[in-house]
Amino acid sequence: MNYQETTEWMFYQLPMYQLQGASAYKKDLTNIQLLVNHLGNPHTNLKCIHVAGTNGKGSTSHMLSSILQEAGYKVGLHTSPHLKDFRERIKINGIEISEEFVCDFINKNKGFFESNDISFFEMSVGLAFDYFFKENVDIAIIEVGMGGRLDATNIITPLVSVITNIGLDHTQFLGNTIELIAFEKAGIIKNRIPVVIGEYTTETKEVFIKKAKECISDIYFAQDLISKTYPSDLTGDYQILNKKTALLTVNILNAQTAFNVSPINIEKGLLHVTKNTGLQGRWQQLGNAPKVICDTAHNREGLHIVLRQIQKETFEKLHIVLGVVNDKDLNQILPLFPKDAIYYFCKPNIPRGLDSSVLQKNALNFDLHGKTYASVPEAYSFARKNSTKDDFIFIGGSTFVVAELALNERL
């Protein structure tokens, strides 16, 4: 199979949460253990940082990669989901895994995947471990897919565990209270491995401290950190805590491992995250006059911060291109959106996308008004046509909405 055939087989023949939702979620680590044993357990030879959290784990992972790259290290980075190309999930020093490596890995192991019902995410994790091991990276930053305790990445023993924050997302899998979700995320805390908590509440802090004590693990809280303020090319307000989390993680690496990262490495790393890693979709500016911003925030906590930041902007009219997936709790997120905006409702181009007319109907319950459009690009096109140079256009609601525009638009 060529690359296109290979990725199509991965996306559509095997369970994939990005497309299917609940049916793709695995309840234990049996399959991933089976897979890494088949591959020769490459993860046991990797030095890793493990990053979980409801929001911010992608940004934090990319910040850490950029900083470590500036320090001269060969850094593997595994994240999800991708925006356009599967290879975005697996990078070394910002360079995506080659099409050839992906094809060779899948073709070589296809029979094993089929006979053992290996999920899309499990094979992606196995591929990342195999690639990073064969390419002899100095360190691998491994982002959790969902949750933590039962996530396929949770077979590594990292140098540091990181939990950015906790919010009510994926409640159908992780639990419907903050405490239950915190318990699932805390599942990445390992025996005698330090853990950094980016942001906490009274409820979640107790869960994290209890788990850390059980594991005899030192625990650190980034939101309490008083440190030098480093500027970054990731400019969203929510990046303030992500920067603190990355900085505290690097401090622990310096203090407790052989890694050596200087203040200038940190400064340059935070300034050049996008350049060094290729990160897209975080308060990303796509245009001027009118100013156009897209952001992948898609749950209540993330959208609250992003929408609050929009109100700090100066503009005549606000245009919002909005689409979501069909398992999103609209009663949780729609009340956050401003009533004085003009809405362009659309469906992201994936099977899980919510029909734009359903989104429009629900939005009316919260006094949000706008028309429906056949696609994300069409909705954006009409937003551009209807706006003046002094207006502001926001694109969001789902990673998959941003994916259809962020890599194609340029200033």
Side-chain angles (χ1 to χ4, degrees), residues 317-334:
K317 291 182 179 179
L318 174 60
H319 305 259
I320 297 182
V321 177
L322 184 64
V324 298
V325 292
N326 59 22
D327 56 359
K328 188 61 58 181
D329 186 346
L330 298 179
N331 291 328
Q332 284 288 318
I333 66 168
L334 289 178

Side-chain angles (χ1 to χ4, degrees), residues 74-307:
K74 186 175 184 179
V75 185
L77 178 62
H78 171 268
T79 59
S80 64
H82 60 272
L83 291 181
K84 281 291 187 181
D85 188 338
F86 168 78
R87 296 182 302 133
E88 298 165 35
R89 294 170 176 253
I90 303 171
K91 300 178 181 179
I92 295 177
N93 284 9
I95 306 300
E96 295 172 357
I97 188 173
S98 70
E99 292 183 358
E100 292 76 15
F101 198 103
V102 175
C103 291
D104 289 346
F105 179 84
I106 297 299
N107 290 332
K108 178 181 178 181
N109 297 290
K110 185 168 177 281
F112 180 86
F113 297 151
E114 291 176 323
S115 61
N116 291 281
D117 192 28
I118 303 299
S119 75
F120 169 87
F121 189 70
E122 288 161 347
M123 70 174 70
S124 300
V125 171
L127 170 58
F129 291 159
D130 188 61
Y131 181 59
F132 295 154
F133 169 65
K134 288 178 178 174
E135 291 295 316
N136 195 30
V137 300
D138 295 314
I139 191 166
I141 299 163
I142 307 297
E143 180 190 338
V144 167
M146 187 197 309
R149 183 175 63 94
L150 300 177
D151 189 78
T153 63
N154 201 30
I155 57 171
I156 60 175
T157 302
L159 301 174
V160 187
S161 301
V162 179
I163 303 172
T164 56
N165 57 40
I166 302 299
L168 288 172
D169 199 18
H170 303 306
T171 54
Q172 66 270 49
F173 309 109
L174 306 179
N176 57 9
T177 69
I178 288 293
E179 291 87 348
L180 286 173
I181 295 174
F183 172 79
E184 292 297 327
K185 309 283 186 186
I188 72 165
I189 300 175
K190 303 292 194 306
N191 288 337
R192 302 182 186 278
I193 303 297
V195 56
V196 173
I197 307 300
E199 184 179 9
Y200 63 83
T201 64
T202 302
E203 296 84 0
T204 63
K205 189 174 186 179
E206 291 179 2
V207 175
F208 295 142
I209 290 174
K210 179 181 178 182
K211 180 65 174 179
K213 285 182 178 178
E214 291 173 359
C215 294
I216 320 175
S217 300
D218 294 331
I219 187 168
Y220 304 85
F221 297 96
Q223 79 178 51
D224 299 334
L225 183 67
I226 300 174
S227 63
K228 176 182 175 181
T229 301
Y230 288 92
S232 175
D233 59 338
L234 302 185
T235 57
D237 287 354
Y238 52 82
Q239 302 296 2
I240 295 171
L241 272 173
N242 293 335
K243 284 191 287 186
K244 283 189 173 186
T245 304
L247 179 59
L248 184 51
T249 303
V250 169
N251 289 344
I252 292 169
L253 280 181
N254 276 340
Q256 301 187 23
T257 74
F259 285 87
N260 185 14
V261 180
S262 71
I264 193 67
N265 299 148
I266 295 170
E267 183 177 348
K268 288 184 175 180
L270 290 174
L271 275 175
H272 302 140
V273 178
T274 300
K275 175 186 173 183
N276 287 343
T277 69
L279 179 63
Q280 301 271 359
R282 272 64 169 188
W283 196 257
Q284 180 179 351
Q285 186 167 347
L286 303 181
N288 274 319
K291 187 173 184 179
V292 182
I293 294 289
C294 69
D295 197 283
T296 56
H298 57 276
N299 54 43
R300 183 175 178 84
E301 290 78 13
L303 284 167
H304 173 72
I305 296 172
V306 169
L307 292 169

